[in-house]
């Protein structure tokens, strides 16, 4: 379960650290938990089909998960290990700018274990940030709050494309979906902002 | 008991908390160390400690009220509705898979069972729930606002559920971590009694295990140990149990310091052996330095996260004697090269231990920095 590797002083290349074999022992403890990258999660799901208790969606600031509300009650209801989730989530979101609101989807299994996937902030968040507004329009379609240029849309689409779920979507479709969301928030997209 | 029942329904947060805590937390440790001034906890903390002596390890933010809302949502728009709710103000949205199956099995005759699904949503207490739900429904094109019910969230509910999860953990042969409210399964083993509260470190996480195993191999007796990012204090206490001469723990979270000092008492650790210090966090304006001597420690372990470990590399290393062993964890294996790059100028003989995706890096601080 635990491997020790001594690295010779000169070479420090990543491929010297082999990961230990899939730790089946990890799950023998009374509280099994697992959190893996999306692709491995999908494969594991097919193999084991653990019974799912619930699916939880949350917004958590990158690197800032704490066992207080909203994480606490949302996960505590399903008896998930809060500290483990916080540590795992914070470690995996270290590469994002601190406090960026990340969209997390947690699959809670009946044996109190869980897996989660992390997505970059919602499109509406990016739009609001780009436009500098707090909330969308109260009457979208009738009342336009502000405008954004197609350049903004393009930048947002590029960030969204790095999401695990959008990787194979053509940039154009992502852009169209962003424009749709912007319209539903009462934000118009124009070609150029003067 | 009847008073307790009365208080439970009384919407007075602080009162119920005091009463609840008196039943769970042993206050005896507080009275056994009578001279409070000899508590080696940094000064600002001891005042806050005495004022909230009967409260447990929850502060205001943990016991914050929240609104728990049940919404009946048509199945076919479940995903988009959940996303919309999160956009318009919900803190979290949870869908029970259980309820769906139960409805189908029960065949209660309600046609809603097959078309609607129940969403549990949590909202901040000042949010306008009705407005959010109607905006969310509008944004995805639902004709009518879904039915919903709002309740005040019961924070004790999830706090106690969380506590119940902690079970005795066997780290290695004859090394157990045992919750305060359980008796040790193996009385002859080295048992570390813990009540982590909301600080990190119960022994269950792979990083804690890695650090404990590293510590066990390093401590031969008489070392000075520093736990940077001490959390519940588990590593600092373990070091003392393995035979270290003294332990020190640093954390930026006051709750962690509270938890660590409580745990020190649970394990009958005298004050002189375990010092705890609250490190100034980034946004604190006081330029207070940690009152620890530089180059004082034989073993240092920092189990935090990638960014703090890298930013604080110099600071952490400054407390180590030359030739001291440094352990770094809380790192994912993909983050390892980054950490090694930052530490290798100062640390030699680096070795890595792995459990799953988590790694623990250890090495010895180089003797001198003068170019030979």
């Amino acid at each position: 379960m635990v491997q020790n590797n001594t690295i010779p002083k000169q070479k420090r290349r990543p491929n010297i650290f082999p990961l230990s074999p899939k730790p089946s022992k990890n799950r023998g403890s009374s509280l099994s938990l697992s959190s893996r990258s999306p692709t491995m999660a999908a494969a594991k799901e097919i193999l084991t089909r653990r019974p799912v208790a619930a699916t939880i969606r949350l917004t958590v600031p990158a690197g800032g998960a704490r066992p207080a509300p909203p994480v606490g009650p949302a996960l505590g209801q399903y008896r998930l290990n809060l500290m483990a989730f916080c540590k795992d989530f914070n470690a995996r979101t270290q590469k994002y700018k601190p406090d960026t609101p990340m969209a997390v989807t947690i699959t809670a299994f009946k044996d109190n274990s869980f897996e989660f996937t992390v997505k970059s902030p919602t499109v509406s968040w990016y739009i609001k940030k780009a436009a500098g507004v707090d909330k969308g329009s109260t009457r979208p379609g009738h009342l336009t709050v502000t405008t954004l240029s197609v350049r903004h849309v393009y930048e947002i689409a590029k960030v969204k494309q790095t999401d695990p779920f959008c990787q194979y979507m053509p940039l154009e479709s992502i852009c169209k979906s962003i424009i749709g969301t912007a319209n539903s928030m009462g934000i118009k997209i124009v070609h150029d902002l003067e | 008991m009847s008073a307790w029942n009365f208080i439970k329904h009384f919407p007075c947060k602080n009162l119920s908390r005091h009463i609840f805590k008196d039943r769970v937390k042993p206050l005896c440790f507080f009275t056994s160390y009578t001279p409070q001034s000899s508590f080696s906890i940094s000064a600002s903390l001891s005042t806050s400690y005495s004022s909230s002596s009967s409260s447990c390890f929850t502060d205001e933010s943990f016991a914050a009220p929240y609104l728990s809302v049940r919404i009946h949502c048509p199945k076919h728009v479940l995903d988009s509705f959940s996303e919309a709710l999160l956009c318009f103000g919900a803190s979290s949205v949870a869908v029970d898979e259980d309820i769906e199956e139960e409805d189908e099995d029960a065949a209660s005759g309600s046609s809603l069972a097959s078309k609607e699904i129940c969403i549990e949503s949590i909202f901040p207490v000042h949010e306008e729930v009705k407005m959010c739900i109607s905006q969310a429904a509008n944004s995805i094109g639902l004709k009518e606002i879904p039915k919903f019910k709002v309740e005040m969230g019961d924070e004790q509910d999830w706090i106690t559920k969380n506590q119940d999860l902690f079970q005795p953990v066997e780290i290695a042969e004859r090394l157990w971590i045992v919750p305060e409210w359980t008796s040790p399964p193996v009385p002859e083993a080295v048992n570390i009694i813990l009540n982590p509260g909301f600080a990190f470190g119960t022994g269950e996480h792979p990083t804690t295990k890695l650090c404990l195993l590293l510590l066990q191999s390093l401590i031969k007796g008489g070392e000075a140990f520093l736990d940077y990012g001490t959390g519940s204090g588990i590593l600092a206490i373990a070091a003392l149990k393995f035979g270290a001469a003294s332990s020190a723990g640093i954390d930026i979270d006051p709750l962690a310091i509270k938890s660590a000092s409580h745990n020190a008492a649970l394990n009958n650790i005298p004050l002189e052996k375990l010092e705890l210090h609250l490190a100034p966090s980034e946004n604190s304006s006081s330029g207070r330095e940690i009152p620890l001597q530089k180059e004082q420690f034989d073993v240092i372990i920092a189990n935090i996260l990638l960014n703090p470990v890298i930013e604080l590399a110099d600071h952490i290393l400054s407390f180590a004697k030359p030739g001291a062993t440094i352990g770094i964890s809380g790192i994912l294996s993909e983050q390892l090269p980054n950490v090694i790059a930052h530490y290798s100028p100062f640390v030699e003989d680096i070795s890595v231990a792995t459990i799953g995706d988590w790694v623990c890096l250890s090495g010895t601080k180089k003797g001198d920095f003068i170019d030979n």
Side-chain angles (χ1 to χ4, degrees), chain B residues 24-102:
Chain B
V24 169
K25 175 172 151 347
L27 288 180
C28 56
F29 87 96
F30 196 68
T31 55
S32 63
Y33 298 97
T34 29
Q36 245 188 313
S37 55
S38 71
F39 247 117
S40 52
I41 298 180
S42 54
S44 63
L45 198 52
S46 58
T47 48
S48 66
Y49 199 85
S50 54
S51 63
S52 57
S53 60
S54 58
S55 73
C56 199
F57 309 110
T58 53
D59 69 353
E60 289 309 310
S61 65
F62 285 103
Y66 57 93
L67 296 174
S68 173
V69 183
R70 278 183 91 94
I71 309 173
H72 294 268
C73 154
K75 251 196 219 177
H76 62 279
V77 292
L78 180 63
D79 278 342
S80 44
F81 189 56
S82 311
E83 298 277 348
L85 276 175
L86 285 173
C87 287
F88 282 101
S91 308
S92 83
V93 174
V95 179
D96 245 1
E97 308 292 307
D98 250 356
I99 292 182
E100 184 186 338
E101 290 165 18
E102 276 174 31

Side-chain angles (χ1 to χ4, degrees), chain B residues 301-355:
Chain B
I301 295 195
N303 181 6
I304 328 177
L305 289 166
L306 177 69
N307 290 342
V309 147
I310 289 187
E311 281 157 19
L312 295 169
D314 286 335
H315 191 63
I316 295 173
L317 288 168
S318 69
F319 292 110
K321 285 183 191 161
T325 311
I326 317 284
I328 306 284
S329 193
I331 311 290
L332 294 166
S333 42
E334 66 217 14
Q335 299 166 337
L336 187 59
N338 198 351
V339 179
I340 294 197
H342 276 87
Y343 276 81
S344 50
F346 313 106
V347 171
E348 57 193 357
D349 292 336
I350 297 181
S351 69
V352 176
T354 315
I355 295 183

Side-chain angles (χ1 to χ4, degrees), chain B residues 4-22:
Chain B
W4 166 234
N5 283 329
F6 173 75
I7 297 293
K8 224 165 115 170
H9 297 295
F10 202 70
C12 179
K13 190 170 51 154
N14 290 328
L15 199 52
S16 64
R17 201 147 42 106
H18 280 311
I19 294 196
F20 182 81
K21 293 313 165 248
D22 281 348

Side-chain angles (χ1 to χ4, degrees), chain A residues 77-161:
Chain A
Q77 300 276 7
Y78 298 99
R79 313 181 70 95
L80 303 181
N81 193 330
L82 293 175
M83 295 311 308
F85 170 75
C86 290
K87 185 95 172 174
D88 211 325
F89 172 83
N90 288 339
R92 286 178 204 280
T93 52
Q94 287 291 287
K95 54 189 179 223
Y96 293 96
K97 199 164 156 215
D99 294 331
T100 312
M102 311 297 295
V104 190
T105 304
I106 304 167
T107 310
F109 298 101
K110 292 208 172 128
D111 57 353
N112 297 338
S113 61
F114 63 88
E115 286 169 356
F116 67 91
T117 56
V118 179
K119 293 200 292 188
S120 55
T122 52
V123 169
S124 67
W125 185 83
Y126 278 113
I127 292 176
K128 280 190 244 180
K129 197 148 189 281
V133 295
D134 253 341
K135 284 196 154 10
S137 157
T138 47
R139 293 178 60 216
H142 299 274
L143 196 64
T144 302
V145 174
T146 184
T147 53
L148 282 181
S149 78
V150 290
R151 174 133 209 101
H152 288 109
V153 175
Y154 175 64
E155 295 293 330
I156 298 174
K158 280 213 298 196
V159 176
K160 268 301 187 179
Q161 210 181 29

Side-chain angles (χ1 to χ4, degrees), chain B residues 119-139:
Chain B
I119 298 183
E120 299 258 359
S121 185
I122 294 184
F123 281 78
V125 96
H126 300 295
E127 196 69 38
E128 294 248 4
V129 176
K130 183 151 190 222
M131 173 88 95
C132 286
I133 297 185
S134 66
Q135 277 179 341
N138 277 339
S139 79

